Every structure is written in structure tokens, then in C-alpha cells.
Amino acid sequence: SNQSVTFPGAVTITGALTASGGGVGEKITQNAVTLPTDASSYTWTGIPSTTKQITLTYYDVAPASNGNEIWLQVGNSSGVQSSGYGTVSGFIMSGNQSNGDASHEGASSGAKFMLGTGWSGSNVDRYGTFTLRKHGTGNTWIGEGSMWVYSTDWVRAWIYCNGYVNISNLDRLKIFNAADANYTSGTADLQWVS
């Protein structure tokens, strides 16, 4: 039978909290970093084999030069995987606020998740999220994400990415950019549910 507990007033929890029901417990692990300004990529490792969902959020991320697309790859103990992806990505853009023009561009890739394609420019900051969910009990992960970009010349765009990747024993995720340019700013947070 279902039971509920009511606490009068505030409740403080010290240490780990696992919520379970029906014999299934879930744990959320969070790993926030400031992207290094002396590197063009960052890789999170140590994602456990029991993970069912991985979410990357990022704020104010900017590579130092054009070719600012953000790319993601996953990997395992053999390294980062550069094949086995089926993805589509693109953007819908409005021009500067005075003309309100809109355009669209899209592309696909078998080597990575692309958060925006054909989108380049200086002084562009990115804010967004990308989630991978394990499909069933196999080795397929379904990914979806979007972000908002802002530049000093008033250009705004909504960027999307959807797709999948086949990989066994996923234990890492790499963020990098098309220009292989060092990041000038930004924080990123990787969370996983296991």
C-alpha cells in the first residue's frame, strides 16, 4: 500500500538521500566545471555502468574564434568514440532586432552530436542543455538538446540537435568545438542518473 509522511516545518537532510519505490532506487550525481581557457575540450569520466540518463547543461560557453559549433562525443574505457552516431542538427535564426529576418540550416553527422551546424561568428555565447537516455537494455542512447545563442551584434538563434549513438559501457562524455579553439568563458555541468 502507498504511504505518505508529513513533516511539520522545515526538514534538513545531511548526507546522501536515496528515494526508492518498488525496489528501484535512483541516484543523481552532478559534476560542474568551469571550462578551461587553455584547452579546446573537456572530458568527464567515471560515469557508472548503471547510468540511464545523462544531462549536460552549459552557460555562457564561448570558443575563442569562428567555427563555434559545440560538438559532443561519448566513449568508454577504449577512448572517445568517433563513429556510430546518427544525428541531425540545425538552427533557426533571427537577424538583428531591427530587421527580424529568420533563416534555417541543418546537417547530419555520423561522428558526433553537433549542437548547431554552420553557425559561426565571434563574440557568441551559448546557453543550453543536451540529454542522453539509454534505450531499453541495449547499447543505444537517444540524444536531444537545444540551446540559445546570443551575440553582441544582436543575432539570436535557437539551435537543436537530435539523434542516437550505439556504444557499450559508456563511461565518458567529451565537449569540444568545430574550430578546435580554446574556450574563453563558460561553465558546464554534467549530471547522470543511475
Side-chain angles (χ1 to χ4, degrees):
S1 68
N2 292 332
Q3 298 179 352
S4 63
V5 178
T6 303
F7 296 96
V11 176
T12 301
I13 298 171
T14 304
L17 172 67
T18 300
S20 62
V24 177
E26 292 187 344
K27 178 181 176 185
I28 299 175
T29 303
Q30 183 171 344
N31 290 279
V33 298
T34 298
L35 293 175
T37 56
D38 61 350
S40 61
S41 69
Y42 184 86
T43 302
W44 288 266
T45 58
I47 299 171
S49 62
T50 55
T51 297
K52 299 178 276 191
Q53 178 174 306
I54 301 167
T55 300
L56 172 69
T57 58
Y58 45 94
Y59 177 83
D60 194 30
V61 171
S65 68
N66 289 348
N68 285 332
E69 301 161 7
I70 293 177
W71 291 347
L72 302 175
Q73 290 177 325
V74 294
N76 53 30
S77 60
S78 297
V80 174
Q81 180 170 304
S82 59
S83 63
Y85 299 80
T87 70
V88 63
S89 179
F91 64 86
I92 299 171
M93 178 184 74
S94 64
N96 65 44
Q97 290 184 347
S98 64
N99 64 32
D101 292 340
S103 63
H104 167 79
E105 183 175 336
S108 61
S109 173
K112 59 198 163 283
F113 291 106
M114 302 179 300
L115 295 179
T117 179
W119 181 267
S120 62
S122 301
N123 305 314
V124 179
D125 297 323
R126 288 152 173 74
Y127 308 83
T129 185
F130 186 80
T131 299
L132 283 165
R133 292 180 182 88
K134 191 168 188 180
H135 180 68
T137 58
N139 295 323
T140 301
W141 292 77
I142 307 299
E144 65 177 346
S146 64
M147 71 174 158
W148 179 73
V149 295
Y150 164 83
S151 72
T152 55
D153 60 2
W154 294 101
V155 172
R156 310 287 187 271
W158 174 72
I159 295 177
Y160 62 87
C161 178
N162 292 86
Y164 70 91
V165 61
N166 290 308
I167 184 170
S168 60
N169 305 312
L170 186 155
D171 72 352
R172 64 197 65 197
L173 184 139
K174 175 183 177 182
I175 182 173
F176 60 117
N177 63 82
D180 196 29
N182 291 355
Y183 289 98
T184 58
S185 67
T187 57
D189 178 36
L190 193 70
Q191 300 177 4
W192 56 80
V193 178
S194 55

